């Protein structure tokens, strides 16, 4: 018997069908052991010796593998074809050797797709375990452990509220915090644009003013209404004639097939998937044999796959020139790319659909991108028309484009993020125009604009930036982003990252005391060195020694500082952020409450805050994350109510931020919902005006109102309620929609009905039952379910860290035990009645 070890049971089931009766395929359910989460698991003084510990839920799994290995003639380690896959195989081999269950013949095989041909070909060409890849895994694991377990105690003692720091996650957090700071420093500038609405041959088009009074107009040239009105009057008075018609044929080439990062970017843009959800769905598609391995930074495809794509293109587009004469070959431009594997592509180009739900949507995206990469270029004709008035000093320009031949655009067009302030649109059609034509003028518009701050990062743009800087690896991005969310260092609103107070403080601390280790170049160079280890060009312990030699003394130095010294250093480091120059030239550190105290950064039990030096006489404080204090700190005024004239302030209380109008018992207050983004006076007035009156119900005549309660936004009518989807809906929902929503809530079962709980996580289908696996918050704690079997999480397992493989194990083991016996405890025998007393 030949024993094959893979990661997942779905993969095991598929491969066993391909190999036949002589093979037994077992799953390790991912990694089987790791460094214990305690100090001393990596010991630099002993040559970076490491202690490994078996995962608590893997005891039965490893025993099953060891029992099977004792009766096997050959052990085939067939885990994923990357560094993590090599590490899992190494761990399995080491465990079996330790238990004296290792067969004499041990071989390693890898395949990039789970198809019959790929698996059988790999089995015919086994190899030894790649020690260089194993060393690279050991170096990365030790590096991350030493960084986290050395720095985290420093944070706990010197920076209240900080939870942990990671080598890659800290750099990703710094990117988000820097963007937040750029947005705060941004000052919008007013500018105007003037455009003429023209018509030629019955076809309307728009031309922009690009030259005024002989001067070429830049974006900010027309900076006020006065200059815009003068320009508008000049266009209205002028007779504009076509002077130049520039027609330029251009070609657009297709994009290469997906890598891990580009798949995450496009799935976020087009499908609204998070990076972690994209990887879960892609894993399911890979294990089902539908796509190639989904952790890769290579853009090349196998020659046989290119041939299959060209055949599919020729069959799909029999007429036209959609198939180029020669196959296309791509090379990645990403920094630090390893190109160890193929790009992500379908295993069968003849299938343009696979699966259902999110799997079908992601598969279609992968199929379109891959097949379009081998299609012909698109032919586009760009036209630019210049019109001048009689003076020759004022000039209009109209642009447009026509797709002459779609080529690959017939299948796929990538969605690009719009650049802020990019108001031009050259995608429209223009009528036929020739030199000397005088299009009819229908009107002239002067439009006011304001420059926009740089956009906050989305998951797609953050992944793109990390890849450009060479930080992390494709397989790490989803986990890195998830850690930032789980630690509450960032929050997401409308798919954009906002830096939380704790995240900004942590970033400031690291930039002040550990600047080298959050530098983008240093982190990228570390990735280069890890690649050198995996390529056999560098010894892994030498890498660790160089890192530890500088990092340990630096962390010891910071640990010796008093917390007050750390706070003083951060106060000075963050001075420009916390106390920016006041517009009236006054001292920005002057206490606004007592008038003579000096504001400075303080450290508290629940994090940092700004306080007055006259404490306890003056108790003025404000939140750390609000620069300048007047913007939105405790007691900061947002403005005056437009009707009552009373000041409205933003404050922070025991249960979070809130707004207040008035004072004392007469004051009106409202909590600030998390989903409104930037709080301003308009939002404050709306929130203080709740409940909102929608109107009388058309059937009962009783009032329908919308408001926000303890459990979120809701509708109320006659003592009955219906949930709303978000804060915005409280102020937007109309009578018809409100009546429908109330009726739906009533049909759901009245007072006793409960809205189905939302899952905390989804993991895809269970390999045996086929039911969707979900992590739920139960009455007695978190549990996983496939719709049939519910399995409670062990007490030592954090819900946010649960993986799909662990969910499968929990559900499978619970199902094997069978349903709980009904009846519970046996009833105690009925007490015998005492004999009646004789009279």
């Amino acid at each position: 018997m030949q024993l094959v070890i893979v990661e997942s049971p779905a993969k095991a089931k598929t491969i066993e069908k391909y190999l036949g009766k002589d093979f037994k395929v077992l799953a390790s359910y991912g990694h089987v052991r790791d460094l214990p989460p305690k100090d001393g698991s990596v010991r630099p003084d002993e040559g970076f010796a490491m202690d490994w510990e078996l995962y608590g839920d893997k005891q039965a799994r490893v025993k099953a593998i060891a029992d099977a290995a004792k009766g096997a003639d050959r052990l085939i380690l067939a885990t994923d074809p990357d560094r993590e896959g090599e590490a899992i195989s190494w761990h399995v081999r080491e465990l079996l050797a330790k238990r004296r269950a290792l067969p004499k013949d041990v071989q390693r095989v890898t395949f990039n797709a789970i198809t019959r041909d790929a698996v059988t070909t790999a089995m015919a060409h086994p190899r030894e375990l790649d020690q260089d890849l194993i060393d690279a895994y050991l170096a990365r694991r030790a590096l991350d452990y030493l960084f986290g377990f050395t720095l985290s105690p420093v944070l706990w003692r010197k920076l209240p509220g900080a939870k942990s720091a990671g080598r890659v996650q800290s750099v990703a957090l710094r990117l988000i915090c820097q963007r937040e700071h750029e947005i705060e420093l941004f000052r919008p500038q007013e500018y105007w644009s003037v455009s003429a609405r023209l018509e030629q041959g019955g076809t309307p088009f728009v031309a922009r003013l690009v030259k005024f009074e002989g001067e070429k107009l830049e974006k900010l040239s027309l900076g006020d209404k006065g200059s815009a009105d003068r320009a508008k009057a000049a266009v209205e008075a002028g007779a504009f004639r076509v002077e130049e018609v520039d027609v330029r044929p251009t070609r657009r080439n297709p994009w290469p097939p997906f890598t891990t990062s580009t798949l995450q970017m496009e799935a976020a843009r087009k499908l609204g998937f998070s990076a972690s959800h994209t990887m879960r769905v892609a894993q399911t598609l890979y294990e089902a044999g539908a796509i190639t391995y989904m952790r890769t930074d290579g853009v090349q495809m196998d020659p046989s796959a290119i041939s299959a794509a060209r055949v599919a293109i020729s069959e799909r587009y029999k007429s036209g020139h959609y198939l180029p004469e020669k196959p296309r070959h791509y090379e990645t431009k990403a920094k630090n790319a390893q190109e160890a594997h193929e790009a992500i592509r379908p295993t069968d180009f003849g299938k343009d659909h696979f699966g259902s739900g999110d799997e079908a949507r992601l598969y279609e995206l992968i199929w379109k991108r891959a097949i379009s990469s081998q299609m012909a270029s698109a032919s586009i004709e760009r036209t630019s028309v210049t019109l001048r008035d009689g003076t020759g000093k004022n000039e209009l320009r109209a642009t447009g484009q026509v797709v002459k031949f779609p080529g690959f655009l017939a299948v796929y067009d990538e969605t690009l993020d719009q650049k802020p302030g990019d108001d031009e649109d050259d995608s429209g059609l223009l009528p036929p125009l020739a030199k000397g034509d005088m299009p009819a003028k229908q009107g002239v518009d002067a439009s006011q604009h304001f420059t926009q701050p740089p956009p906050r990062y989305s998951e797609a743009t953050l992944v793109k930036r990390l890849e450009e800087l060479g930080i992390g690896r494709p397989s790490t991005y989803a986990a890195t982003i998830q850690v930032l969310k789980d630690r509450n260092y960032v929050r997401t609103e409308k798919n954009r990252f906002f830096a939380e107070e704790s995240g900004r403080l942590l970033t400031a601390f690291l930039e002040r005391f550990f600047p080298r280790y959050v530098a983008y170049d240093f982190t990228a160079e570390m990735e280069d060195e890890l690649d050198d280890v995996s390529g056999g060009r560098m010894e892994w312990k030498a890498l660790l020694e160089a890192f530890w030699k500088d990092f340990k003394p630096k962390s010891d130095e910071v640990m010796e500082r008093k917390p007050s010294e750390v706070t003083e250093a951060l106060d000075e480091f963050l001075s420009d952020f916390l106390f920016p120059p006041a517009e009236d030239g006054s001292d920005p550190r002057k206490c606004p409450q007592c008038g003579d105290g000096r504001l400075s950064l303080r450290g508290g039990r629940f994090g940092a805050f700004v306080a007055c030096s006259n404490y306890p006489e003056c108790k003025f404080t404000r939140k750390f994350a609000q620069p300048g204090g007047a913007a939105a700190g405790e007691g900061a005024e947002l403005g005056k109510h437009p009707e009552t004239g009373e000041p409205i302030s933003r404050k922070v209380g025991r249960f979070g931020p809130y707004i207040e109008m008035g004072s004392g018992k007469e004051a009106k207050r409202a909590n600030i919902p998390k989903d409104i983004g930037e709080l301003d006076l308009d939002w404050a007035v709306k929130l203080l005006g709740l409940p909102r009156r929608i109107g009388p119900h058309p059937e009962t005549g009783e009032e329908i109102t919308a408001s926000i309660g303890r459990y979120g936004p809701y509708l109320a009518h006659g003592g009955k309620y219906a949930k709303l989807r978000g804060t915005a809906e409280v102020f937007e929902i109309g009578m018809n929609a409100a009546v429908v929503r109330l009726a739906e809530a009533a049909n759901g079962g009245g007072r006793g009905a409960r809205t189905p709980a939302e899952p905390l996580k989804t993991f895809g289908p269970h390999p045996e039952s086929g039911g969707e696996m979900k992590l739920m918050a139960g009455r007695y704690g978190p549990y996983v379910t496939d719709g049939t079997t519910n399995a409670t999480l062990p007490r030592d397992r954090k819900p946010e860290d649960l993986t799909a493989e662990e969910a499968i194990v929990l559900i499978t083991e619970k199902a094997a035990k069978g349903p709980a016996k009904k009846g519970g405890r046996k009833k105690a025998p009925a007490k015998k009645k005492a004999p009646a007393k004789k009279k």
Side-chain angles (χ1 to χ4, degrees):
M1 187 266 289
Q2 301 183 60
L3 177 63
V4 182
I5 303 299
V6 296
E7 292 96 336
S8 73
K11 190 174 174 182
K13 196 172 182 180
T14 305
I15 292 173
E16 200 164 52
K17 287 191 298 185
Y18 297 152
L19 296 180
K21 296 179 180 178
D22 188 41
F23 292 84
K24 183 177 182 63
V25 186
L26 294 179
S28 68
Y29 289 84
H31 274 284
V32 291
R33 63 179 188 173
D34 196 7
L35 297 170
K38 62 182 181 182
D39 195 25
S41 295
V42 178
R43 299 184 295 283
D45 296 338
E46 299 177 25
F48 298 96
M50 300 186 198
D51 293 330
W52 300 99
E53 181 180 74
L54 198 64
Y55 285 120
D57 58 348
K58 295 293 175 74
Q59 296 283 354
R61 181 59 40 193
V62 171
K63 184 179 183 303
I65 292 173
D67 290 344
K70 288 176 183 177
D73 302 318
R74 180 187 178 205
L75 174 66
I76 303 169
L77 300 166
T79 49
D80 288 342
D82 59 5
R83 183 163 41 208
E84 289 301 307
E86 207 75 16
I88 292 171
S89 289
W90 175 76
H91 278 300
V92 170
R93 186 188 69 178
E94 294 296 299
L95 278 170
L96 292 179
K98 192 174 181 181
R99 298 187 179 207
R100 297 181 181 179
L102 190 67
K104 291 183 180 180
D105 189 5
V106 180
Q107 294 178 329
R108 172 87 166 106
V109 301
T110 58
F111 33 81
N112 200 41
I114 305 177
T115 61
R116 187 179 297 275
D117 289 343
V119 171
T120 52
T121 301
M123 289 294 175
H125 299 86
R127 62 169 173 82
E128 297 293 321
L129 279 171
D130 190 327
Q131 190 60 46
D132 291 335
L133 285 179
I134 296 167
D135 289 347
Y137 160 77
L138 294 173
R140 183 179 291 274
R141 192 67 196 88
L143 197 64
D144 291 340
Y145 173 90
L146 291 172
F147 190 96
F149 270 83
T150 305
L151 197 54
S152 292
V154 178
L155 296 176
W156 300 335
R157 296 181 190 180
K158 310 301 177 185
L159 198 69
K163 297 176 182 177
S164 68
R167 187 176 57 87
V168 176
Q169 87 186 44
S170 298
V171 180
L173 178 60
R174 184 187 175 201
L175 282 170
I176 295 170
C177 292
Q178 280 193 333
R179 179 57 54 87
E180 196 79 32
H181 190 46
E182 290 169 11
I183 292 170
E184 289 166 350
L185 293 176
F186 180 82
R187 296 292 177 265
Q189 289 182 271
E190 180 185 9
Y191 70 98
W192 291 71
S193 63
V194 176
S195 57
R197 288 175 275 115
L198 307 175
E199 184 179 317
Q200 175 78 4
T203 302
F205 65 100
V206 176
R208 293 179 301 107
L209 182 66
V210 295
K211 185 181 285 188
F212 176 51
E213 295 179 346
E215 296 292 330
K216 183 180 178 183
L217 292 181
E218 302 295 339
K219 183 175 184 177
L220 303 177
S221 295
L222 302 177
D224 55 59
K225 190 175 188 302
S227 58
D229 287 342
R230 283 194 304 108
K232 179 182 177 183
V235 175
E236 288 174 333
F240 286 85
R241 186 187 304 273
V242 175
E243 295 293 340
E244 298 173 13
V245 179
D246 183 18
V247 180
R248 294 184 181 180
T250 60
R251 295 168 68 84
R252 276 179 63 185
N253 295 322
W255 291 272
F258 282 129
T259 61
T260 303
S261 58
T262 55
L263 176 64
Q264 291 174 0
M265 292 178 212
E266 274 295 87
R269 293 185 187 116
K270 287 188 171 172
L271 306 179
F273 289 0
S274 66
S276 56
H277 184 63
T278 298
M279 295 311 292
R280 280 197 297 270
V281 177
Q283 178 86 30
T284 305
L285 291 172
Y286 167 67
E287 291 175 353
I291 63 171
T292 54
Y293 192 52
M294 68 288 162
R295 291 188 178 92
T296 175
D297 50 18
V299 292
Q300 70 280 4
M301 288 202 301
D302 186 80
S304 62
I306 293 175
S307 300
R310 288 174 63 83
V311 169
I313 293 166
S314 60
E315 290 178 353
R316 195 177 187 87
Y317 299 99
K318 295 183 179 177
S319 59
H321 304 282
Y322 288 90
L323 185 67
E325 291 183 7
K326 296 180 180 179
R328 294 184 182 274
H329 298 280
Y330 297 92
E331 292 183 4
T332 187
K333 296 179 182 178
K335 187 179 179 181
N336 286 346
Q338 301 174 83
E339 299 202 22
H341 312 298
E342 276 192 86
I344 304 169
R345 63 167 177 84
T347 55
D348 184 356
F349 280 96
K351 292 181 179 178
D352 56 1
H353 291 85
F354 182 90
S356 60
D358 287 352
E359 291 176 23
R361 296 169 69 199
L362 189 65
Y363 178 83
E364 183 182 18
L365 195 66
I366 293 168
W367 182 88
K368 285 182 175 180
R369 177 81 168 223
I371 201 165
S372 68
S373 71
Q374 291 299 320
M375 292 178 69
S377 302
S379 296
I380 298 171
E381 190 176 83
R382 299 186 187 276
T383 303
S384 177
V385 179
T386 303
L387 305 95
R388 297 191 186 95
D389 64 359
T391 66
K393 293 184 177 181
N394 301 315
E395 188 175 294
L396 298 173
R397 183 169 298 150
T399 57
Q401 70 176 29
V402 177
V403 178
K404 292 293 186 180
F405 172 66
F408 75 95
L409 293 176
V411 173
Y412 181 85
D413 189 9
E414 184 176 81
T415 303
L416 298 177
D417 288 340
Q418 185 179 3
K419 295 179 182 178
D422 188 4
D423 303 316
E424 295 186 23
D425 183 12
D426 64 351
S427 61
L429 294 174
L430 292 177
L433 291 165
K435 187 175 181 179
D437 287 345
M438 292 187 67
K441 197 185 302 174
Q442 303 296 321
V444 181
D445 301 310
S447 304
Q448 183 186 37
H449 311 275
F450 290 93
T451 55
Q452 298 297 310
R456 286 184 170 85
Y457 284 109
S458 63
E459 284 208 5
T461 54
L462 181 61
V463 165
K464 183 178 181 181
R465 187 63 183 137
L466 289 169
E467 186 181 46
E468 289 171 350
L469 293 169
I471 294 168
R473 277 288 170 263
S475 58
T476 66
Y477 293 143
T480 297
I481 291 170
Q482 192 60 47
V483 167
L484 295 179
K485 293 178 182 178
D486 294 342
R487 298 282 185 268
N488 294 320
Y489 291 150
V490 300
R491 72 179 190 277
T492 53
E493 293 177 10
K494 297 180 180 178
N495 295 323
R496 296 285 172 173
F497 287 113
F498 287 74
E500 293 284 24
E501 176 184 326
S502 57
R504 298 190 70 160
L505 186 60
L506 173 60
T507 297
F509 176 84
L510 295 174
E511 286 182 323
R512 170 60 180 82
F513 294 104
F514 295 89
R516 182 186 181 197
Y517 302 100
V518 288
Y520 304 134
D521 290 345
F522 172 81
T523 311
E525 286 168 8
M526 188 66 72
E527 294 294 343
D528 286 337
E529 292 176 351
L530 288 166
D531 288 344
D532 288 340
V533 173
S534 62
R537 299 180 296 275
M538 187 175 186
E539 209 274 322
W540 69 283
K541 290 186 179 180
L543 183 153
L544 293 175
E545 285 169 0
F547 167 79
W548 191 245
K549 180 181 177 182
D550 294 325
F551 183 69
K552 184 64 167 71
K554 183 64 179 174
S555 60
D556 290 343
E557 174 200 331
V558 178
M559 182 66 91
E560 290 173 3
R561 288 177 177 252
K562 296 178 181 178
S564 58
E565 293 176 352
V566 171
T567 304
E568 287 174 13
L570 287 175
D571 178 82
E572 181 182 350
F573 181 75
L574 291 167
S575 179
D576 292 340
F577 165 63
L578 294 173
F579 312 105
E583 292 182 5
D584 59 1
S586 60
D587 183 2
R589 285 184 179 261
K590 184 179 179 181
C591 178
Q593 188 164 309
C594 69
D596 62 346
R598 184 172 172 80
L599 301 180
S600 61
L601 186 68
R602 301 284 182 87
R605 182 180 175 188
F606 301 106
F609 61 96
V610 173
C612 177
S613 59
N614 287 337
Y615 180 85
E617 287 77 16
C618 178
K619 293 187 169 114
F620 174 83
T621 61
R622 74 165 187 254
K623 300 286 281 183
F624 158 79
Q626 302 300 336
E634 186 173 352
E637 188 176 309
L638 294 169
K640 296 190 182 333
H641 196 285
E643 296 176 6
T644 67
E646 290 184 274
I648 300 174
S649 301
R650 181 191 192 277
K651 297 191 174 184
V652 179
R654 182 181 174 189
F655 301 106
Y658 66 96
I659 48 177
E660 180 180 84
M661 182 172 69
S663 60
K665 294 181 179 179
E666 304 294 325
K668 189 166 186 180
R669 299 177 180 88
N671 290 329
I672 302 173
K674 291 183 178 181
D675 62 345
I676 66 170
E678 301 290 341
L679 178 73
D680 55 18
L681 182 61
D682 290 340
W683 266 115
V685 171
K686 286 181 180 179
L687 292 169
L688 288 167
L690 292 176
R692 171 183 165 238
R693 179 180 177 275
I694 297 174
H697 194 288
E699 295 178 3
T700 67
E702 293 187 51
E703 199 70 36
I704 301 176
T705 59
S707 192
I708 301 172
R710 183 179 177 186
Y711 301 107
Y714 67 93
L715 290 170
H717 164 253
K720 296 187 178 179
Y721 304 92
K723 282 189 175 182
L724 294 175
R725 296 187 184 93
T727 302
E729 199 171 16
V730 172
F731 303 99
E732 295 170 358
I733 192 166
M735 176 60 72
N736 292 339
V739 170
V740 171
R741 199 69 63 82
L742 287 164
E744 289 174 348
N747 292 334
R751 290 178 67 184
R754 290 187 179 181
T755 305
E758 289 292 324
L760 303 176
K761 268 187 183 181
T762 56
F763 300 104
H766 190 279
E768 295 178 8
S769 70
E772 183 75 13
M773 295 187 297
K774 299 175 183 177
L775 174 64
M776 308 295 290
R779 182 179 178 185
Y780 302 106
Y783 67 95
V784 285
T785 179
D786 62 350
T788 304
T789 303
N790 297 345
T792 305
L793 264 63
R795 290 185 179 180
D796 60 346
R797 197 74 183 112
K798 293 181 179 179
E800 61 268 20
D801 296 336
L802 189 73
T803 64
E805 289 77 13
E806 291 168 341
I808 293 170
V809 172
L810 289 170
I811 293 170
T812 303
E813 290 179 350
K814 182 63 183 293
K817 292 178 182 178
K821 294 180 180 179
K822 294 182 180 180
R825 294 181 179 178
K826 292 182 180 179
K827 290 184 179 180
K831 292 182 178 179
K832 293 181 180 179
K833 290 184 180 180
K837 292 182 180 179
K838 292 181 181 180
K839 292 182 181 180

